[in-house]
Amino acid sequence: MNGPVRRVALGLFVAFFLLALDITYWQIIAADRLRVHPDNPRVLIAQSGRQRGQIISSDTAVLATSVGDPSDPRYYVRDYPYGALYAHTVGFSSRLFGDSGIESSHASVLASRQDLTVSGIINRLLGEDLRPRSLQLTLNHHLQQMAQRALGSRRGAVVAIEPSSGRLLALVSSPTFDPNSLVGPGAATVWEALRTDADRPLVNRATGTSLPGELLPEASLVTLPPEGDALPVAALPLGLRAATAAGGGVLMRPHIVARVFDSASNLESETEPVSLAIPLDVDEALAIQAGMDPLAIPTETLGQLSGLGETGSGYTGTGGQAVWFTGFVPIGQPAIVVAVVIESLDPGAEPGIGSAEAASIARAIMREWLDTQGPG
């Protein structure tokens, strides 16, 4: 073999060797990393097509469930029976737009892990249960509905918290949207309309975050808001500040997932109440309470109960005015904390206008909870 032929042969050998290394790397070494990469469209298709477990409220209303895809029975799509009521909290699981809310933060729990990957096959052979699990939230469906009716068509938010445990009882943000419209035909058109809507329906006014993305307080520890009106206001931080004052400076970790159930509906795990590092000392908590106004809540079952509340004003994320109310009841052993934020339709409105309206909404929610649940 002469020199030129040897060089060509050597070049071909090197090229085939490098090609073999490249194929080995991408198909074996990097396969799992590529398979779960968020930019891989197959990930969205595979995940959205898998069956997911149910999401239910504390009073067992079904908030999200999987149904067969009408266009392909091999796959599943998500159905949200109460539509817009839980859009910002439960979120959505969409083939086009991915996951948001609880559907995002707890996707690994909800989604079936049955697939044809090597790890999936091995786990199945080892007897691991790869079927989807279900979640029970702390949200009370009855109170959530009542809070939405009380807020009505106003732009704003309502948050209700059980301060003794940190359970989030209601999270309402308005305006909202129907997550079912993002998992069916025409989803792209709906998404573009939501994204460009001047009323910003994708903004979760309860927590101050925007979809898509994670919104749960478990995802990041809550920082109490400073006094005054220098920050955009959101209902959840205001409610947590009142809960801390009500607890004498102690804040229970806010949480929204109460229980996880396996595929056979057996209890797998339950969230236990845990206090955060004390954000306020007793004197600071008492000082906040001293700055609040007396609150009288007449109930049908318990008579009139006394609480404390305060109003204020601040700015929205776009520079408009917002008024708010936050308070708790009863004094001494608070059963519920409620925070209400209402955005002004007129950016030039006088600060504070509408605070009485926010307080009226909060009192109605407090009364409803006390009449149906009792003080403890």
Side-chain angles (χ1 to χ4, degrees), residues 125-202:
L125 291 174
L126 292 175
E128 185 177 348
D129 187 357
L130 305 179
R131 292 173 293 178
R133 290 167 286 175
S134 297
L135 300 177
Q136 184 172 33
L137 306 185
T138 61
L139 299 180
N140 181 273
H141 181 59
H142 175 73
L143 195 68
Q144 181 85 359
Q145 289 180 310
M146 192 271 174
Q148 184 190 51
R149 289 194 300 268
L151 187 60
S153 60
R154 303 171 184 87
R155 291 193 303 182
V158 175
V159 169
I161 308 167
E162 184 178 67
S164 61
S165 66
R167 291 195 305 148
L168 299 180
L169 305 175
L171 281 172
V172 173
S173 178
S174 176
T176 183
F177 61 94
D178 184 357
N180 292 299
S181 64
L182 297 176
V183 299
T189 302
V190 173
W191 176 257
E192 184 61 20
L194 291 171
R195 193 182 64 82
T196 57
D197 192 326
D199 283 336
R200 301 180 300 148
L202 294 177

Side-chain angles (χ1 to χ4, degrees), residues 49-305:
R50 294 181 189 176
Q51 184 179 14
R52 288 186 172 220
Q54 289 188 336
I55 301 175
I56 64 174
S57 69
S58 64
D59 45 350
T60 67
V62 176
L63 311 183
T65 190
S66 288
V67 297
D69 189 335
S71 62
D72 191 338
R74 296 174 301 172
Y75 298 102
Y76 293 87
V77 294
R78 283 303 245 180
D79 178 62
Y80 303 98
Y82 295 97
L85 183 59
Y86 294 94
H88 293 94
T89 305
V90 171
F92 55 78
S93 180
S94 167
R95 188 169 297 184
L96 290 178
F97 312 112
D99 300 338
S100 73
I102 291 174
E103 293 276 34
S104 171
S105 62
H106 289 73
S108 61
V109 174
L110 292 165
S112 169
R113 292 171 292 157
Q114 299 184 92
D115 54 37
L116 296 179
T117 61
V118 174
S119 59
I121 294 173
I122 292 175
N123 289 335
R124 195 182 314 170
L125 291 174
L126 292 175
E128 185 177 348
D129 187 357
L130 305 179
R131 292 173 293 178
R133 290 167 286 175
S134 297
L135 300 177
Q136 184 172 33
L137 306 185
T138 61
L139 299 180
N140 181 273
H141 181 59
H142 175 73
L143 195 68
Q144 181 85 359
Q145 289 180 310
M146 192 271 174
Q148 184 190 51
R149 289 194 300 268
L151 187 60
S153 60
R154 303 171 184 87
R155 291 193 303 182
V158 175
V159 169
I161 308 167
E162 184 178 67
S164 61
S165 66
R167 291 195 305 148
L168 299 180
L169 305 175
L171 281 172
V172 173
S173 178
S174 176
T176 183
F177 61 94
D178 184 357
N180 292 299
S181 64
L182 297 176
V183 299
T189 302
V190 173
W191 176 257
E192 184 61 20
L194 291 171
R195 193 182 64 82
T196 57
D197 192 326
D199 283 336
R200 301 180 300 148
L202 294 177
V203 173
N204 185 345
R205 288 164 165 82
T207 60
T209 57
S210 297
L211 295 174
E214 297 184 9
L215 52 80
L216 302 182
E218 291 113 316
S220 59
L221 296 182
V222 177
T223 301
L224 295 179
E227 296 187 56
D229 57 2
L231 295 172
V233 295
L236 181 58
L238 290 170
L240 293 175
R241 180 174 180 270
T244 307
V250 176
L251 176 64
M252 303 304 292
R253 183 186 181 94
H255 62 280
I256 200 167
V257 175
R259 300 176 182 88
V260 177
F261 295 93
D262 66 17
S263 57
S265 300
N266 299 310
L267 181 64
E268 186 175 283
S269 63
E270 187 169 10
T271 303
E272 296 293 335
V274 177
S275 62
L276 297 177
I278 298 178
L280 299 174
D281 61 32
V282 175
D283 290 338
E284 290 174 315
L286 292 176
I288 293 177
Q289 290 190 30
M292 291 180 162
D293 298 318
L295 190 64
I297 306 295
T299 68
E300 294 181 2
T301 57
L302 302 169
Q304 182 163 292
L305 297 177

Side-chain angles (χ1 to χ4, degrees), residues 305-330:
L305 297 177
S306 298
L308 293 174
E310 62 178 336
T311 59
S313 62
Y315 298 96
T316 67
T318 57
Q321 292 288 337
V323 295
W324 54 265
F325 171 89
T326 185
F328 63 88
V329 68

